[in-house]
Amino acid sequence: MPPTSQNTGDSLRHIRNFCIIAHIDHGKSTLADRFLEITAQVEKRKMHSQFLDMMDLEQEKGITIKMQPVQMAYRYHGEHYTLNLIDTPGHIDFNYEVSRSLAAVEGALLLVDATKGIQAQTISNLYLAMSEDLVIIPVVNKIDLPNAQTAMVRTQIATLLGVGEDEIMEVSAKDGTNVEAVLQRIIERIPAPQVDETITAPRALIFDSKFDAFKGVIAYVRVYNGTFSRDNPMVFMRSGLKSDILEVGFFSPELREKKELAAGEIGYVATGLKQIEGVKIGDTLTDFRDQILPDQVLAGYKEPQPMVFANIFPQSEGEERQSSDFNVLKDALAKLTLNDSSIFVEQTSSEALGRGFRCGFLGMLHLDIVVERLKREYQLEIVVTSPSVLYKILDRRTNTEELIYSPFEYDPNIAAYIQEPYVRLEIVTPKAYLGFVMKVLDGIRGIYQNTSYLDEDTLVIVYEAPLADIITDFYDKLKSASSGYASLSYDIIDWRTSDLVRLDILIAGELFESFSQIVPQQKAAARGRATLLKLKEFLPRQWFQITLQAAVGGKVVAREDIGALRKDVTGYLYGGDYSRKRKLLEKQKKGKKKMKSLGRVHIPSSVFLDILKK
């Protein structure tokens, strides 16, 4: 086993804190694997690819979803160094994870795929790192591949960073070429942590957390001043919550206990707390007996603004079962929000689905991951309503602006106007696919801004567009149009007034609020018909005809019918007068009419999921 930080005699100048930032699938996790092998942090028999991707979902999808810290020991020029790496996600939906990790380190490796070059999220993550004033070490990865364009990518990076090409390292994370040289460059270029000598009281920034059944809330911290050790009383400065420290340690990447956490180190503090809501990411931890002053509280993080909302309900039959499953879902969401603070959760209810939660997410992939985690980690069967973005209205009665989280909350009669979020969309694409990409952009309500060149073969297209137009299938269409080469990133820029209406869905004359949508006026009829066709496909037939309608402001804009099931009531008759058959058919017709007037259509929970998946 490698030496741990307890026995290396590390001083502050022998610590390096860094992270790896890149676009999705550029080899961050593979490079981290090589670091673990070189430093012998993980035994060979335990080693596997994407070792720091701890969740099954990450292994299956081949992407990093959660940041993962790990401490490595490395000997360089006869001295022992402690290297604290935080592996970060690359997808735009998990940008908040990246921003939190950047605030806890002094440097970052900017990794770029030699076969793909700079992509949209490369630029976005780079700007985040530069805003934290981090030392950037540029690295070109996958130089071993036959289609690698290493020279071109080096030129792109040099232009983007304004550095000489000789400062850009070339590696193959897969076969380990030049990887150890990167570790050495980290030690040489990234500065050791700095400590504010004017502050003597302990303080640490909470950059992540999780819940453990035995150790309670475990806070992932970067220590800035003083030391934290077992049994010392601590206090969370923003929440005011107090507790004794149950355990401190570092990431191996598993949790490994140690005597104390000192200034400059990254590690964990096991609080023993079961009060999940009291521990907030971005809070400052200090010693209860020797507290920092209020103006010495660390800046923390800007609260993320979820922009995609969906309602989540337990999928259960019967009032008693529904109540029990609701409590399990409530507990599961509380633990998930501790681990992922970008999720917004608020209790809601539906006549069709009972009690549930309105949840906000940073994007569609974020929503999909959370739903999958609820199913796998907590064995929950849930129903998810159609996602919608956040809207803003001016209530003409009170002359105040209000946020609309659900389409059914939008009443055009009381809204003087409705606004939707707009994003600044950056698309990086090879010049050869420009025409196809522009056709995809023509399909959204976008406003062209400008085009610039990263190099003679790579373009950056900037658009401004409504968030609602890009959260569902826009990314898939973009990848299809560019044979997988184009990439995108976006940032919310402002709110803009749009001509939007509420599209309601009626089933057998009954309004189902879970299917309501806010859509552009000119697309209401087409969107309504598409929704009705989905319902027609998935709704089970009844003994009477079901009429499906899409309406805007009480006016029906689309209609479909689901034919009635038919029982052959005359099957047992043979021969005789036809009037006998006619009487039986008339009797059946009256029965169906009575059923239609008395009954209501029951929609199985699975239908909501089927329509969302479709």
Side-chain angles (χ1 to χ4, degrees):
M1 287 296 293
T4 69
S5 57
Q6 292 126 291
N7 54 28
T8 57
D10 284 330
S11 63
L12 201 61
R13 71 181 187 86
H14 289 107
I15 296 175
R16 299 291 184 271
N17 299 320
F18 70 101
C19 63
I20 307 174
I21 56 174
H23 190 86
I24 189 171
D25 198 33
H26 278 215
K28 294 182 305 299
S29 297
T30 306
L31 182 60
D33 288 345
R34 300 294 81 77
F35 287 163
L36 294 176
E37 289 176 350
I38 291 170
T39 59
Q41 185 60 42
V42 179
E43 296 178 40
K44 285 187 177 181
R45 62 186 179 86
K46 295 181 179 180
M47 194 67 198
H48 59 77
S49 62
Q50 291 181 263
F51 191 86
L52 293 181
D53 292 340
M54 298 296 189
M55 291 191 292
D56 291 341
L57 267 175
E58 293 177 310
Q59 294 283 338
E60 290 174 17
K61 293 180 177 288
I63 61 173
T64 302
I65 295 168
K66 280 293 298 175
M67 70 167 83
Q68 179 58 52
V70 62
Q71 184 179 109
M72 301 172 290
Y74 183 68
R75 187 177 178 87
Y76 182 55
H77 288 173
E79 296 185 79
H80 290 283
Y81 287 86
T82 297
L83 308 178
N84 290 306
L85 161 66
I86 303 180
D87 188 26
T88 62
H91 194 280
I92 189 171
D93 280 11
F94 306 110
N95 243 20
Y96 188 53
E97 294 277 321
V98 179
S99 65
R100 297 205 317 271
S101 66
L102 292 173
V105 299
E106 284 75 37
L109 296 182
L110 179 68
L111 198 65
V112 181
D113 189 329
T115 66
K116 299 175 182 176
I118 288 177
Q119 296 193 284
Q121 204 58 31
T122 312
I123 301 173
S124 178
N125 287 337
L126 173 62
Y127 289 159
L128 286 174
M130 294 173 71
S131 68
E132 295 288 345
D133 200 24
L134 301 186
V135 172
I136 310 295
I137 299 177
V139 181
V140 179
N141 188 27
K142 304 186 182 180
I143 61 172
D144 58 304
L145 296 181
N147 58 335
Q149 300 176 339
T150 307
M152 181 201 75
V153 175
R154 282 168 63 94
T155 302
Q156 285 184 348
I157 297 173
T159 303
L160 183 64
L161 293 177
V163 300
E165 292 191 23
D166 57 327
E167 295 185 40
I168 301 168
M169 305 191 72
E170 300 178 8
V171 306
S172 168
K174 185 177 180 180
D175 62 25
T177 303
N178 294 337
V179 171
E180 189 158 6
V182 176
L183 281 175
Q184 295 168 0
R185 180 71 64 89
I186 288 167
I187 293 171
E188 294 167 353
R189 291 285 307 278
I190 296 177
Q194 299 296 311
V195 174
D196 188 343
E197 301 292 347
T198 64
I199 301 175
T200 57
R203 62 174 184 167
L205 174 69
I206 301 174
F207 66 86
D208 204 1
S209 58
K210 72 173 185 177
F211 184 80
D212 183 271
F214 301 102
K215 299 176 182 179
V217 176
I218 298 176
Y220 293 17
V221 299
R222 157 67 192 273
V223 183
Y224 283 88
N225 296 89
T227 60
F228 292 86
S229 57
R230 182 173 179 171
D231 297 329
N232 282 2
M234 62 180 173
V235 61
F236 298 87
M237 290 298 291
R238 286 192 172 89
S239 67
L241 198 62
K242 302 176 183 65
S243 175
D244 287 338
I245 296 177
L246 195 66
E247 176 183 309
V248 299
F250 62 99
F251 303 97
S252 184
E254 297 84 8
L255 305 184
R256 290 191 61 187
E257 186 177 1
K258 61 181 290 189
K259 185 178 179 181
E260 66 179 21
L261 278 179
E265 292 188 310
I266 290 176
Y268 70 89
V269 174
T271 67
L273 292 169
K274 306 298 181 182
Q275 300 160 273
I276 296 174
E277 66 282 354
V279 181
K280 303 290 185 183
I281 288 176
D283 203 349
T284 302
L285 193 62
T286 188
D287 193 307
F288 181 62
R289 301 163 305 180
D290 183 19
Q291 294 186 30
I292 58 174
L293 299 174
D295 62 351
Q296 295 172 339
V297 172
L298 294 161
Y301 305 104
K302 180 183 177 182
E303 287 293 321
Q305 176 63 69
M307 298 304 294
V308 177
F309 287 80
N311 293 342
I312 299 178
F313 299 90
Q315 183 176 331
S316 49
E317 303 293 338
E319 187 174 336
E320 184 176 339
R321 174 73 184 278
Q322 209 275 344
S323 178
S324 173
D325 289 352
F326 170 80
N327 290 327
V328 175
L329 177 59
K330 181 179 180 180
D331 183 58
L333 283 171
K335 291 176 180 176
L336 264 187
T337 52
L338 178 70
N339 190 234
D340 184 353
S341 60
S342 59
I343 306 173
F344 168 85
V345 178
E346 181 179 82
Q347 193 168 323
T348 187
S349 62
S350 163
E351 185 178 346
L353 298 170
R355 290 191 299 166
F357 295 90
R358 176 184 296 122
C359 298
F361 308 91
L362 300 181
M364 287 299 295
L365 178 62
H366 190 204
L367 184 155
D368 291 342
I369 293 297
V370 170
V371 168
E372 196 63 34
R373 289 186 68 183
L374 286 171
K375 292 177 181 178
R376 295 191 184 200
E377 297 176 23
Y378 301 97
Q379 289 74 53
L380 281 166
E381 292 295 325
I382 56 178
V383 174
V384 184
T385 62
S386 298
S388 171
V389 304
L390 192 65
Y391 294 93
K392 187 188 293 184
I393 66 163
L394 177 67
D395 191 324
R396 66 173 78 249
R397 300 169 303 180
T398 61
N399 201 36
T400 57
E401 287 189 333
E402 297 180 1
L403 294 177
I404 298 297
Y405 296 93
S406 167
F408 201 70
E409 296 176 4
Y410 174 43
D411 184 351
N413 296 319
I414 67 170
Y417 61 73
I418 181 170
Q419 294 182 326
E420 60 181 331
Y422 263 66
V423 299
R424 183 178 188 272
L425 189 65
E426 284 192 355
I427 298 173
V428 178
T429 179
K431 188 168 62 175
Y433 295 98
L434 177 60
F436 302 108
V437 169
M438 294 304 292
K439 283 185 180 179
V440 174
L441 287 167
D442 287 342
I444 63 174
R445 293 171 290 147
I447 305 169
Y448 172 77
Q449 297 298 304
N450 60 69
T451 301
S452 58
Y453 283 80
L454 275 177
D455 57 39
E456 60 181 16
D457 294 316
T458 309
L459 300 168
V460 180
I461 306 168
V462 179
Y463 255 68
E464 291 179 359
L467 177 62
D469 285 16
I470 67 170
I471 63 167
T472 50
D473 57 356
F474 178 78
Y475 183 72
D476 294 333
K477 289 179 179 178
L478 183 65
K479 284 293 184 182
S480 176
S482 64
S483 300
Y485 285 104
S487 60
L488 70 90
S489 68
Y490 61 84
D491 294 298
I492 306 294
I493 50 174
D494 56 21
W495 297 79
R496 299 183 187 179
T497 303
S498 302
D499 184 14
L500 303 173
V501 296
R502 191 181 83 195
L503 179 68
D504 292 324
I505 301 299
L506 293 86
I507 301 176
E510 183 180 357
L511 175 63
F512 280 78
E513 61 182 73
S514 299
F515 293 124
S516 295
Q517 308 168 47
I518 294 177
V519 300
Q521 171 80 55
Q522 66 272 24
K523 295 185 178 181
R527 191 76 61 85
R529 185 166 301 281
T531 303
L532 297 187
L533 289 173
K534 292 180 187 178
L535 281 169
K536 188 174 182 180
E537 178 182 353
F538 292 112
L539 268 181
R541 294 170 68 190
Q542 306 290 321
W543 290 108
F544 53 88
Q545 178 178 295
I546 302 175
T547 299
L548 308 176
Q549 296 170 308
V552 174
K555 180 182 177 181
V556 176
V557 296
R559 170 175 172 156
E560 293 288 335
D561 293 311
I562 300 177
L565 289 170
R566 184 177 183 277
K567 180 180 179 182
D568 189 3
V569 293
T570 63
Y572 68 94
L573 294 178
Y574 57 93
D577 189 358
Y578 176 71
S579 61
R580 295 180 63 197
K581 290 186 179 182
R582 190 175 62 213
K583 286 179 182 179
L584 288 173
L585 292 171
E586 287 294 327
K587 185 178 179 181
Q588 183 188 47
K589 186 177 180 180
K590 289 179 181 178
K592 286 187 177 184
K593 187 175 181 180
K594 185 177 180 181
M595 288 173 64
K596 185 176 182 179
S597 63
L598 296 178
R600 62 191 298 266
V601 178
H602 172 70
I603 300 181
S605 300
S606 59
V607 171
F608 292 92
L609 279 177
D610 289 334
I611 290 176
L612 179 61
K613 289 175 183 175
K614 193 73 174 177

